[in-house]
Amino acid sequence: MKGRLITLEGGEGAGKSTLLEGLCSYLRLHAIEPLLTREPGGTALGEGVRALVLDPALREMCAESELLLMFAARAQLVREKLRPALDAGQWVLCDRFTDASFAYQGGGRGQPPERIAELERWAADALQPDLTLLLDLPVGTGRQRAAGRGHAADRIEREADGFFERIRAAYLERAAQQPQRFCVLDARQTPDQVLAAAMRALQPLLEEGTT
Ligand code: Z5A
């Protein structure tokens, strides 16, 4: 079977982790054991980067450092985990990928998209997902859900609503530009409804795998 890269994207509290669990069970029903990973993270180096970029004490981190750190983690994940898994025919479910950099560091922090695209070409080896599920949710709803989990806000979660509005707009713009790859899911629905819509979006890839 051909390896597939499925990425989950969305704003804070959109329900990516919840959907990831459901999709994993669904793929197992199809005898597919996916590799589950996340960004930033998924490797020892990436998890170290994650701790850095989310550390509320590092308030002075500039946008350029933040962007480069995201791609340092990504360069490692692509070479250490993603390419080998995909080359071996494995399916990969990844909680965030390069679209998050276009949305957060591009839309949110104002980094030029052509700079991010250049990093994508060499640092991320131009790796593109087969399918990106974008969980779209009003910013206020997502923030309420995230706050409901009861853990302290990280460095990025401490940003103002306007930052997250720009991120949402950047994600939706990217999805509109690449409709063949993106599936936008209405994340205001119940977890079961979101999962059902995601399963429908996966169907063509599952069918390709059996033909
Ligand atoms: N970041 C970046 O800036 N640039 C990059 O290139 C990359 C990342 C890759 C870490 O991401 C941070 O890194 C993130 C972007 C930045 N910063 N922020 N903000 P993360 O994915 O680990 O963190 P996150 O976006 O904050 O995700 P999250 O808060 O963990 O949310 P989630 O996984 O999307 O949601 P969840 O945990 O599944 O659900 C949240 C709560 O809502 C939970 O209590 C659920 O039970 C509940 N929930 C879930 N679904 C529903 C539905 N459908 N209805 C009602 N309630 C629900």
Side-chain angles (χ1 to χ4, degrees), residues 15-18 50 74 96 101 104-105 145 149 189:
K16 292 176 284 80
S17 313
T18 306
R50 183 182 186 88
R74 185 164 299 130
R96 297 191 185 281
S101 293
Y104 280 76
Q105 283 65 54
R145 284 188 193 170
R149 288 176 311 190
Q189 303 176 98

Side-chain angles (χ1 to χ4, degrees), residues 89-113:
Q90 198 173 6
W91 283 53
V92 180
L93 296 180
C94 192
D95 190 340
R96 297 191 185 281
F97 195 54
T98 311
D99 294 304
S101 293
F102 281 98
Y104 280 76
Q105 283 65 54
R109 304 274 192 225
Q111 289 294 297

Side-chain angles (χ1 to χ4, degrees), residues 35-204:
L35 171 69
L36 304 182
T37 188
R38 65 175 182 178
E39 279 217 312
T43 65
L45 185 142
E47 293 297 327
V49 168
R50 183 182 186 88
L52 273 178
V53 296
L54 299 184
D55 184 351
L58 296 179
R59 278 189 305 274
E60 70 284 2
M61 185 182 296
C62 64
E64 288 78 6
S65 299
E66 189 181 85
L67 176 63
L68 290 169
L69 283 167
M70 295 298 175
F71 271 97
R74 185 164 299 130
Q76 193 66 31
L77 183 70
V78 166
R79 288 162 183 80
E80 193 179 317
K81 294 278 173 68
L82 301 188
R83 283 283 188 212
L86 294 168
D87 288 349
Q90 198 173 6
W91 283 53
V92 180
L93 296 180
C94 192
D95 190 340
R96 297 191 185 281
F97 195 54
T98 311
D99 294 304
S101 293
F102 281 98
Y104 280 76
Q105 283 65 54
R109 304 274 192 225
Q111 289 294 297
E114 55 278 8
R115 183 175 297 169
I116 303 173
E118 176 61 18
L119 285 167
E120 181 182 34
R121 275 190 290 277
W122 70 268
D125 199 23
L127 181 60
Q128 298 293 317
D130 295 287
L131 173 68
T132 297
L133 300 167
L134 171 58
L135 283 80
D136 180 57
L137 189 67
V139 168
T141 313
R143 301 203 87 177
Q144 270 171 10
R145 284 188 193 170
R149 288 176 311 190
H151 64 63
D154 63 43
R155 188 182 62 85
I156 296 177
E157 287 168 349
R158 289 173 190 220
E159 293 291 339
D161 282 354
F163 174 75
F164 292 100
E165 294 289 2
R166 293 196 298 280
I167 288 163
R168 185 182 185 200
Y171 266 134
L172 289 172
E173 189 184 335
R174 226 169 137 67
Q177 286 165 351
Q178 300 183 51
Q180 73 291 354
R181 171 166 71 85
F182 273 90
C183 174
V184 182
L185 304 175
D186 181 352
R188 293 171 302 181
Q189 303 176 98
T190 65
D192 283 349
Q193 288 171 323
V194 175
L195 176 59
M199 290 183 329
R200 283 195 293 276
L202 276 184
Q203 209 51 43

